[in-house]
Amino acid sequence: GAVVSQHPSWVICKSGTSVKIECRSLDFQATTMFWYRQFPKQSLMLMATSNEGSKATYEQGVEKDKFLINHASLTLSTLTVTSAHPEDSSFYICSAAGAGSYNSPLHFGNGTRLTVT
Amino acid sequence: AQKVTQAQTEISVVEKEDVTLDCVYETRDTTYYLFWYKQPPSGELVFLIRRNSFDEQNEISGRYSWNFQKSTSSFNFTITASQVVDSAVYFCALSEAGQAGTALIFGKGTTLSVSS
């Protein structure tokens, strides 16, 4: 089946630095990618939706200047957490949907656990 | 607005017991999809089932079964003869249909602990 690869699976960074997370669709063209954030023992909350070649749409309360999303190709979307702070420590997970995929489940990456020290 | 409610925060059972995880949803759409995902401690989301709003047939897959009732806006998940490996967080989710790539709205999840 379709696979979404997310990298890295975990990362530890110092406060003030930036971290980039990659989300790749391995065997299909992802016209739309979604980024979710999950704090410990909480649900997955949608952060933003990105369509290939256009600007991402951010959910209310998500700082677009802090969480930079680039969806430059049909197989790759990146989330960059800029000037990370300890409160950004969380589990970030992406999902991807191909064209005409409304009859298929969205495919999720395995997530990235970010720890900011 | 769309909303998914999983009223059970945590459930603890002993192996071989049956357990039902509840899911109630709200949507104004007539066409939508419902999902269940399993999230083990490692964090990845494991897809379990997708059901569209026009298909109210119950589904059984091994020890798993799902009961979809539009009249009560519920999509409950039952594990029969639970096993320790079933211990995980289970999420119910909802999405609009008819559009490619619509985001899922997740419930808060139910943590299932199965002891031996």
Side-chain angles (χ1 to χ4, degrees), chain A residues 34 36 38 43 97 102-103 106, chain B residues 33 39 50 99 101-102 104 107:
Chain A
F34 306 91
Y36 294 83
Q38 184 182 29
S43 186
Y102 55 89
N103 284 325
L106 294 182
Chain B
Y33 286 101
Q39 187 178 43
R50 173 187 58 86
Q99 300 180 42
T102 304
L104 270 61

Side-chain angles (χ1 to χ4, degrees), chain A residues 36 43-46 108, chain B residues 3-6 35 37 45 91-94 103-109:
Chain A
Y36 294 83
S43 186
L44 288 85
M45 301 302 295
L46 179 68
F108 285 85
Chain B
K3 184 179 178 181
V4 176
T5 301
Q6 295 180 255
F35 302 77
Y37 287 88
L45 285 176
F91 289 100
C92 180
L94 167 72
L104 270 61
I105 307 299
F106 286 87
K108 292 187 175 182

Side-chain angles (χ1 to χ4, degrees), chain B residues 41-57:
Chain B
S42 51
E44 76 274 18
L45 285 176
V46 178
F47 167 77
L48 297 178
I49 190 171
R50 173 187 58 86
R51 173 69 73 215
N52 77 53
S53 52
F54 296 110
D55 183 1
E56 285 193 73
Q57 283 191 333

